[in-house]
Amino acid sequence: MAEIIVVTSGKGGVGKTTTSAAIGTGLALKGHKTVIIDFDVGLRNLDLIMGCERRVVYDFVNVINGEANLNQALIKDKRVDKLNILPASQTRDKDALTLEGVQKVLDELKKTHDFIVCDSPAGIEKGAHMAMYFADRALVVTNPEVSSVRDSDRILGILQSKTLRAEKGEEPVTEHLLLTRYSPDRVERGEMLGVKDVEEILSIPLLGVIPESKAVLSASNQGQPVILDTETDAGQAYDDAVRRLLGEDVEHRFLNSAKKGLFSRMFGGR
Amino acid sequence: MQDTEAALDSEVCFKLKGSRITMTILELYRYDYQSFNDALSATISNAPDFFRQTPVVLSLERCPASAHVDFIELGELCREYGMIPVAVRGGSEQQIVAANVAGLPSLPPASVSSRAPEPAAEPAPVAEEISVPVSANRVITQPVRSGQQVYAPGGDLVVLAPVSAGAEILADGNIHVYAPLRGRALAGVQGDASARIFCQSLEAELISIAGNYKVNEDLQGALWKQAIKAELEGDQLFISPL
């Protein structure tokens, strides 16, 4: 049975699309047939981050409206076997999405995929609602600053009440916290919230901490999911997160300042 | 004594206060003029003095939602026998509207489970001593997130998880938070000045009892992030360690 994972945050610019691309690619790299869907209709970005913008013919809204079938709209990733991308429409807005339409597409994708990663738009309006409604798991992307944490908290409240699972009274959506743009130096200087602070406020399990990294920007400019840069800290951190998502027990890294030297990093204490 | 004099001297001509009063409930199973009249007169004849000038609350919780009740007629009948209907409790939307039209305000139902219409073994109005408003405590085990609002009408609210900044919890009675309280907590919202707030870590945006409040700025003192209780002393909100 396919699992639907929504990548959401409430706040914009925290790294939802970067995370969707990285996690989706990571799951496919581990051998799971995966599709990443861009729900940000009108502000299409996922195709750029994935480097497939030149191959977009049909999109998510076309499929919902029956103007194209799924196979025509799905873009097969050239680097990773088992990875598909379903781009958003740039010329439409969020009203083009309907729950029935989204459900139809998700049901179809479920037949052929193990994981469906839904890249949510920012905000708490229709687009975000559509992206989270059918989710089994939610990856809440948060930056270590108060406004982002507050918005994530709001999204967690909505996940508990406005999803199919909540409405049917089923097992609630499984929540994971992914802390991105984390800078241990700035935490030590007291300029940024620490992992512990964010965990305490949101009280959901931590899936991973992605360090602030130049690699993320250069990867997205090249249209390459950062998880493919296996030499970089951000790439490795996303790989850890994917392994944890799949149930592996992986110790958290990149929580302390790198200046502490090789010795303390090898022993990886918090 | 001083208080009374002060009240008499002041310019204010009244003060609103919350209070709990024991009242008689008339639990209605169905209504038609003849049988209601017969049953009521039989009940009253047993103890004519007992019901003189007695305020009663009409409970519709055991009355089928579709049942039509003529509240104006019912009210007149009650008054004939010395009972004064003051409000209805529970009931379907139509019944509540009809009651409102007849000048009877509606109170929240005592509990959801008693709403189920049950065939009455003895279809006579039964008077029972019960306190109003009835305790309707709520226990919340999930975190109360930013943007969420939780209200315990007519009772206490117990929260076993954090209350986030931007969340609001309200109760007619006391509020207990067995975790950090970071949002707003308003106890005694119907005016019960004896309501209290308890929390394990005071990090609130605002706490209020019966309309007397303190905002975050006023809370950031020695008791910040401590386990506290808050209560009213006169009109002063008083916070002390637990």
Side-chain angles (χ1 to χ4, degrees):
Chain A
M1 191 61 192
E3 264 206 348
I4 302 176
I5 304 174
V6 60
V7 178
T8 185
S9 72
K11 196 173 165 62
V14 294
K16 283 183 296 298
T17 303
T18 300
T19 298
S20 300
I23 297 287
T25 307
L27 288 168
L29 281 171
K30 302 266 184 270
H32 304 280
K33 186 97 172 132
T34 304
V35 55
I36 315 173
I37 309 177
D38 191 350
F39 273 79
D40 207 348
V41 178
L43 293 167
R44 187 175 91 195
N45 276 169
L46 180 70
D47 54 326
L48 295 172
I49 306 282
M50 293 300 298
C52 63
E53 72 275 14
R54 289 189 208 91
R55 292 193 285 143
V56 175
V57 183
Y58 294 107
D59 57 50
F60 192 16
V61 174
N62 292 139
V63 180
I64 286 177
N65 292 344
E67 294 151 6
N69 66 37
L70 253 180
N71 287 332
Q72 288 173 299
L74 281 181
I75 301 173
K76 209 173 157 348
D77 192 86
K78 283 185 172 168
R79 295 152 298 211
V80 185
D81 195 32
K82 300 197 173 209
L83 180 62
N84 285 318
I85 294 113
L86 183 56
S89 170
Q90 181 69 354
T91 54
R92 310 294 286 269
D93 62 29
K94 310 295 192 265
D95 291 331
L97 299 176
T98 60
L99 279 181
E100 299 73 38
V102 171
Q103 181 165 34
K104 196 184 75 188
V105 175
L106 290 178
D107 284 346
E108 188 78 22
L109 287 169
K110 270 183 177 178
K111 291 180 197 158
T112 44
H113 292 82
D114 302 320
F115 287 101
I116 301 170
V117 177
C118 303
D119 181 21
S120 171
I124 54 173
E125 287 81 24
K126 191 168 182 186
H129 181 223
M130 294 287 163
M132 73 167 66
Y133 189 76
F134 298 100
D136 301 306
R137 291 172 185 240
L139 241 162
V140 179
V141 183
T142 308
N143 286 172
E145 48 120 354
V146 284
S147 60
S148 174
V149 174
R150 168 83 60 97
D151 290 358
S152 295
D153 194 52
R154 182 89 167 90
I155 279 289
L156 285 165
I158 296 171
L159 280 165
Q160 285 164 18
S161 56
K162 291 195 179 158
T163 52
L164 183 64
R165 281 175 172 270
E167 283 175 10
K168 281 169 77 177
E170 290 176 355
E171 193 82 352
V173 176
T174 311
E175 298 155 342
H176 302 278
L177 171 64
L178 191 76
L179 207 52
T180 54
R181 310 199 66 165
Y182 194 75
S183 166
D185 290 345
R186 300 192 66 187
V187 174
E188 274 165 32
R189 291 202 297 271
E191 296 169 3
M192 201 179 249
L193 290 174
V195 182
K196 281 266 182 291
D197 301 324
V198 181
E199 271 188 292
E200 201 191 292
I201 296 172
L202 295 179
S203 48
I204 59 168
L206 180 71
L207 181 75
V209 176
I210 313 300
E212 172 80 67
S213 168
K214 291 194 176 89
V216 173
L217 183 63
S218 60
S220 62
N221 282 336
Q222 288 166 29
Q224 167 134 315
V226 71
I227 199 167
L228 293 174
D229 293 342
T230 50
E231 297 299 306
T232 64
D233 47 1
Q236 291 170 16
Y238 271 118
D239 188 60
D240 287 359
V242 169
R243 286 162 61 196
R244 287 187 203 106
L245 201 60
L246 292 170
E248 259 185 75
D249 193 13
V250 186
E251 204 175 335
H252 287 280
R253 295 194 274 174
F254 314 112
L255 300 180
N256 295 316
S257 176
K259 281 180 208 140
K260 282 186 177 167
L262 185 65
F263 191 79
S264 66
R265 277 186 68 180
M266 274 172 64
F267 291 93
R270 280 194 162 191
Chain B
M1 199 56 205
Q2 251 181 341
D3 223 29
T4 326
E5 276 162 26
L8 288 174
D9 288 344
S10 75
E11 301 270 314
V12 198
C13 66
F14 71 86
K15 187 176 176 186
L16 284 176
K17 284 189 160 185
S19 178
R20 279 164 186 269
I21 307 163
T22 301
M23 281 183 88
T24 306
I25 297 279
L26 194 157
E27 199 169 52
L28 201 64
Y29 301 123
R30 62 192 170 83
Y31 178 78
D32 66 81
Y33 181 86
Q34 201 50 53
S35 52
F36 186 79
N37 191 19
D38 294 349
L40 195 59
S41 87
T43 311
I44 301 287
S45 63
N46 291 334
D49 284 345
F50 185 76
F51 293 105
R52 196 159 293 159
Q53 293 293 305
T54 307
V56 291
V57 171
L58 300 172
S59 164
L60 304 174
E61 287 152 312
R62 300 273 173 112
C63 191
S66 56
H68 172 73
V69 182
D70 184 341
F71 286 100
I72 296 176
E73 190 182 79
L74 186 151
E76 277 168 7
L77 260 176
C78 283
R79 276 187 289 273
E80 243 171 69
Y81 292 100
M83 280 186 189
I84 306 159
V86 293
V88 295
R89 194 175 73 184
S92 68
E93 244 171 76
Q94 289 105 317
Q95 287 167 344
I96 290 172
V97 170
N100 290 161
V101 169
L104 295 170
S106 84
L107 300 173
S111 71
V112 183
S113 60
S114 64
R115 184 65 191 83
E118 201 179 65
E122 203 188 296
V126 180
E128 109 193 58
E129 289 286 309
I130 199 162
S131 79
V132 173
V134 160
S135 140
N137 301 332
R138 269 184 92 176
V139 181
I140 305 291
T141 54
Q142 290 291 312
V144 186
R145 303 288 185 184
S146 186
Q148 292 182 324
Q149 195 182 47
V150 179
Y151 178 34
D156 288 4
L157 179 63
V158 180
V159 185
L160 301 171
V163 177
S164 296
E168 193 168 74
I169 53 174
L170 310 100
D172 288 352
N174 305 308
I175 289 178
H176 305 252
V177 183
Y178 297 103
L181 168 60
R182 302 190 175 102
R184 297 160 153 252
L186 297 94
V189 289
Q190 300 282 2
D192 182 1
S194 67
R196 296 179 187 193
I197 296 173
F198 308 88
C199 73
Q200 216 140 55
S201 178
L202 175 68
E203 301 167 40
E205 292 174 327
L206 176 144
I207 59 172
S208 163
I209 296 173
N212 300 282
Y213 63 87
K214 278 194 171 163
V215 294
N216 180 293
E217 268 185 1
D218 309 326
L219 298 172
Q220 301 221 7
L223 293 171
W224 189 248
K225 295 200 175 183
Q226 303 297 309
I228 60 106
K229 65 173 190 286
E231 58 205 313
L232 276 187
E233 282 184 12
D235 284 343
Q236 270 297 313
L237 189 61
F238 192 75
I239 300 172
S240 50
L242 261 186

